[in-house]
């Protein structure tokens, strides 16, 4: 098994870029490698050059360096953007031109990456649409005959009827407006009277607090498909936080991290603190943290 870690240092890494550190490969010099990146519980589990896809893809990384026995790869926005949607991935590594080995793989908890403002997937220029066909020539108007100048026999009676009904419509409209004004005055007076008699009406109306999700039970299913179904309903950050706590209590810290990150992106401070505690060396516990080891720098980032 390999040991793989990814992290971003904004002092040397631009937004959307990070570095991946791979230990366990025998290299005497930096060489290009290919990675297969897979997420769980999705119909399109493999990461390709243009996002997630159904078939396995081997991504080439030729911008590498060797630090001691650790191979360092630079990972750019084309890969960090789709990876920001997941918590953990399985990574297989193979040397360029060689077959993959079963032992050259590892499970990686993907860290928080500051992403770029623009999406590099949209950098291709769109194909110009063909120009619309020229409009058909309009037919020449027919010559006006003397019959068109004669008034229709029905026009005069219709105009006369409209002239007669217009005042009646105005009277009805004013009558409706007057009755509505009277009704509004009566309702306002009635409310004021009842407010004087019943002090309970003076109390402010409070919003009904949303019902918290049910506590975890043995019959409940905890998997990534359920998490994505829950997030697809666009819940409130507070509800997402409560759902994350349920997953953490049920012994699924990796899925809880996915929910915490969603609430964190919506400004839920408690979710940021919860992720920080997963990283914090003083509170790190392998049973309640989705990360393989503590990281004080990442913990400080989430606490801030």
């Amino acid at each position: 098994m390999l040991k793989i870690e990814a992290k971003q240092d904004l002092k040397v890494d631009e937004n959307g870029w990070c570095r991946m550190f791979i230990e366990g490969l025998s290299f005497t010099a930096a060489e290009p490698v290919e990675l297969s990146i897979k997420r769980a519980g999705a119909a399109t589990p493999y990461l390709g050059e243009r996002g997630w896809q159904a078939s396995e893809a081997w991504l080439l990384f030729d911008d590498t360096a060797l630090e001691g026995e650790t191979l360092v790869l630079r990972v750019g926005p084309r890969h960090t953007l789709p990876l920001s949607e997941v918590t953990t991935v399985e990574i297989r590594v193979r040397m360029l031109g060689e077959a993959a080995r079963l032992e050259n793989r590892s499970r990686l908890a993907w860290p928080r990456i500051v992403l770029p403002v623009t999406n590099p997937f949209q950098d291709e220029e769109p194909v110009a649409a063909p120009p619309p066909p020229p409009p058909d020539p309009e037919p020449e108007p027919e010559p006006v005959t003397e019959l068109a100048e004669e008034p229709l026999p029905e026009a005069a009676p219709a105009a006369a009827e409209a002239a007669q009904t217009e005042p009646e419509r105005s009277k009805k409209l004013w009558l409706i407006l007057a009755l509505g004004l009277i009704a509004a005055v009566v309702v306002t007076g009635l409310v004021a009277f009842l407010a004087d008699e019943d002090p309970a009406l003076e109390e402010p109306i409070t919003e009904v607090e949303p019902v918290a999700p049910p506590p975890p039970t043995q019959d409940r299913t905890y998997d990534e498909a359920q998490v994505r179904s829950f997030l697809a309903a666009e819940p409130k950050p507070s509800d997402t936080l409560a759902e994350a706590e349920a997953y953490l209590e049920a012994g699924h810290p990796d899925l809880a991290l996915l929910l915490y990150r969603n609430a964190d992106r919506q400004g839920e401070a408690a979710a940021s603190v919860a992720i920080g505690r997963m990283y914090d060396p003083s509170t790190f516990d392998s049973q309640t943290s989705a990360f393989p080891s503590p990281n004080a720098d990442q913990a400080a980032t989430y606490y801030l």
Side-chain angles (χ1 to χ4, degrees):
M1 294 291 289
L2 303 176
K3 180 180 179 181
I4 303 178
E5 182 182 7
K7 62 182 179 180
Q8 180 188 52
D9 184 354
L10 293 178
K11 295 180 181 179
V12 294
D13 299 320
E14 300 177 1
N15 289 356
W17 288 85
C18 69
R19 285 166 296 160
M20 191 177 295
F21 301 83
I22 304 177
E23 297 181 17
L25 297 173
S26 299
F27 281 121
T28 58
E31 296 182 17
V33 294
E34 293 180 313
L35 303 185
S36 170
I37 303 176
K38 179 183 179 182
R39 62 179 179 176
T44 53
Y46 296 100
L47 182 60
E49 288 296 340
R50 299 191 60 80
W52 299 104
Q53 59 187 44
S55 58
E56 185 174 19
W58 287 92
L59 307 173
L60 173 63
F61 293 86
D62 52 9
D63 187 0
T64 63
L66 195 63
E67 297 180 0
E69 297 182 353
T70 303
L71 185 68
V72 183
L73 320 178
R74 293 192 73 240
V75 184
R78 281 192 173 273
H79 304 137
T80 58
L81 274 170
L83 283 171
S84 66
E85 305 172 357
V86 301
T87 55
T88 56
V89 291
E90 182 184 69
I91 298 182
R92 301 174 61 197
V93 185
R94 71 181 184 187
M95 274 60 76
L96 187 62
E98 297 184 5
R101 298 180 181 179
L102 182 62
E103 65 272 14
N104 288 348
R105 60 189 176 90
S106 180
R107 191 170 176 84
L108 169 65
W110 192 251
R112 184 180 192 181
I113 299 295
V114 178
L115 300 174
V117 177
T118 58
N119 188 341
F121 293 171
Q122 300 174 351
D123 54 0
E124 293 85 358
E125 295 184 359
V127 178
D136 297 333
E138 297 182 359
E140 296 182 359
E142 298 181 0
V144 180
T145 62
E146 295 182 356
L147 293 177
E149 298 178 356
E150 296 179 0
L152 297 176
E154 293 83 1
E161 182 180 356
Q164 293 176 0
T165 56
E166 188 63 26
E168 297 178 0
R169 292 176 182 174
S170 299
K171 292 179 180 179
K172 292 180 179 180
L173 179 60
W174 281 109
L175 180 58
I176 293 173
L177 291 175
L179 291 175
L181 181 59
I182 294 172
V185 172
V186 172
V187 171
T188 302
L190 181 60
V191 170
F193 173 77
L194 293 177
D196 292 337
E197 293 295 330
D198 189 357
L201 294 176
E202 298 177 359
E203 298 179 357
I205 300 176
T206 57
E207 297 183 357
V208 178
E209 291 294 333
V211 179
T217 62
Q218 296 181 354
D219 298 334
R220 185 177 178 185
T221 302
Y222 295 91
D223 55 31
E224 190 165 345
Q226 294 295 325
V227 172
R228 297 191 178 280
S229 176
F230 174 82
L231 295 178
E234 298 182 355
K236 295 181 180 179
S238 57
D239 294 341
T240 305
L241 178 64
E243 186 75 357
E245 298 291 346
Y247 270 78
L248 187 62
E249 184 178 349
H252 300 275
D254 53 340
L255 299 178
L257 178 60
L258 184 61
L259 293 161
Y260 279 137
R261 280 182 170 164
N262 181 274
D264 171 45
R265 286 193 291 268
Q266 299 183 64
E268 183 64 46
S272 305
V273 174
I275 300 174
R277 291 177 61 84
M278 286 187 174
Y279 275 117
D280 195 334
S282 64
T283 57
F284 176 81
D285 186 340
S286 59
Q287 301 299 321
T288 58
S289 176
F291 306 111
S293 59
N295 188 316
D297 292 336
Q298 286 284 352
T301 299
Y302 279 93
Y303 286 154
L304 289 175

